[in-house]
Amino acid sequence: MVIKETGRKSMGNLRGRIWVDRKFTDYVRGHEEFNTALTSLLNKLKHGKEMKEECDETIEHIKSQAEHTERQIKEEFEKLHQFLRDEEEATITALREEEEQKKQRMKEKLKEINRHFSSLSHTIRDMEKMKKDNDISFIKVTNQSGFILCALNNLYRETQ
């Protein structure tokens, strides 16, 4: 009986050991799977952080590029505005110069017209005086054009 009991104890012990070994093996496998899963998650987390940093850097780069481009656009439009202001000023200056030249030409024509009016006025006065003095020897009749007033050479020389 002792042998059998020992045998039973050994068998029970062996079964217990196998059970413990299986449980330990399962535990070790579970622990290894856990560690593998944890390592995988940690790697994914690390990769995710790296991707986030890259995205943040890309966002900052895009923002920087947009600000730089905006500055360039504003500078170009300011140059364009300045060009247009300069062109406006030059065009208005040219217009004023042209206006002044035209006014000057018109003033000269007016002076010329006034000289002719003055000359005509003198001629008319002289003619009226001659008419009054009954000296009408300066009227000449033409065939088709009617009466043409012709001043005598003296009168013509006096008016010049």
Side-chain angles (χ1 to χ4, degrees):
M1 255 196 162
V2 175
I3 295 175
K4 283 187 182 182
E5 280 185 39
T6 308
R8 278 187 182 168
K9 279 188 177 179
S10 293
M11 287 300 279
N13 243 352
L14 184 57
R15 277 189 203 145
R17 277 189 171 161
I18 291 174
W19 181 81
V20 169
D21 284 344
R22 281 188 188 155
K23 290 294 179 186
F24 181 74
T25 303
D26 288 345
Y27 172 77
V28 169
R29 276 190 200 140
H31 189 65
E32 287 174 356
E33 288 175 7
F34 177 81
N35 282 339
T36 303
L38 180 60
T39 302
S40 174
L41 291 174
L42 288 172
N43 286 338
K44 287 180 181 180
L45 180 64
K46 180 181 175 185
H47 181 68
K49 285 181 180 181
E50 289 171 356
M51 287 181 60
K52 182 186 177 300
E53 287 176 10
E54 285 180 25
C55 287
D56 288 341
E57 288 173 6
T58 303
I59 288 170
E60 284 302 314
H61 180 70
I62 291 169
K63 182 180 175 183
S64 174
Q65 279 183 327
E67 289 171 351
H68 176 71
T69 304
E70 181 179 344
R71 273 192 308 276
Q72 284 181 323
I73 290 169
K74 286 183 177 186
E75 288 171 4
E76 289 300 315
F77 270 92
E78 182 52 39
K79 288 177 187 176
L80 181 60
H81 289 151
Q82 186 59 47
F83 171 77
L84 290 174
R85 284 189 292 269
D86 293 345
E87 283 298 307
E88 176 187 22
E89 184 178 335
T91 304
I92 289 172
T93 300
L95 174 67
R96 287 184 181 147
E97 289 173 2
E98 182 181 353
E99 174 191 18
E100 196 57 41
Q101 289 172 358
K102 286 180 178 180
K103 283 174 26 181
Q104 190 61 36
R105 283 194 301 262
M106 291 309 295
K107 285 178 183 178
E108 290 172 10
K109 284 185 180 185
L110 278 174
K111 283 181 184 178
E112 186 179 328
I113 289 171
N114 284 333
R115 280 194 303 269
H116 286 301
F117 281 162
S118 177
S119 176
L120 283 174
S121 293
H122 288 303
T123 304
I124 290 171
R125 264 186 275 144
D126 289 344
M127 289 174 72
E128 286 175 342
K129 183 179 176 190
M130 290 173 88
K131 181 180 172 185
K132 186 178 176 185
D133 293 343
N134 284 329
D135 187 8
I136 54 171
S137 60
F138 60 88
I139 298 176
K140 180 179 177 185
V141 177
T142 62
N143 295 344
Q144 296 176 350
S145 57
F147 292 105
I148 299 177
L149 297 175
C150 299
L152 295 172
N153 285 338
N154 307 0
L155 185 60
Y156 180 74
R157 287 183 194 143
E158 289 175 4
T159 60
Q160 285 187 353

